[in-house]
Amino acid sequence: MLRRTLWVTGLTLLSGLLIPALALAAGGGASELVVVADTRVIASDIMKYFADLYNFNPVLFAVWAVVLTAGYGCFLGVLMDFIMSRTGLDLKSRKIIEN
């Protein structure tokens, strides 16, 4: 029974990988797909800078994305810590007991 169950499970997983390859609804695959940001209608200088950066230097754009995400996370952490301390919940002095 276990052998049959494993066989059916394996066949189900394999068919899940093969059936999408048989679907012809999407047509042929894209050969040369280029994704760019349209900078013709951007008025803000900072948005234009990031759009140009996205178009011409994806590595520096990725570095900026990581740095800004980390900075935003730190800002939200400090803000939430301030709000929690103002409401009376002091999370800095709690005792952490791990089992």
Side-chain angles (χ1 to χ4, degrees):
M1 182 69 181
L2 178 63
R3 185 173 162 158
R4 181 176 168 202
T5 303
L6 288 175
W7 191 81
V8 169
T9 303
L11 187 63
T12 304
L13 291 174
L14 185 62
S15 68
L17 293 173
L18 293 178
I19 288 177
L22 299 175
L24 298 175
S31 59
E32 294 184 23
L33 183 64
V34 178
V35 179
V36 294
D38 187 12
T39 59
R40 295 175 292 182
V41 294
I42 298 176
S44 170
D45 289 336
I46 190 75
M47 295 297 287
K48 176 108 169 128
Y49 169 74
F50 280 112
D52 285 336
L53 195 64
Y54 177 80
N55 288 337
F56 297 115
N57 195 347
V59 174
L60 187 58
F61 180 79
V63 169
W64 265 111
V66 169
V67 168
L68 290 176
T69 302
Y72 187 57
C74 289
F75 169 73
L76 285 178
V78 169
L79 179 68
M80 286 295 116
D81 188 39
F82 175 74
I83 291 172
M84 296 294 266
S85 66
R86 296 285 292 170
T87 59
L89 297 171
D90 188 18
L91 300 176
K92 294 177 183 171
S93 64
R94 70 182 188 119
K95 303 278 190 242
I96 299 175
I97 301 172
E98 295 183 14
N99 294 336

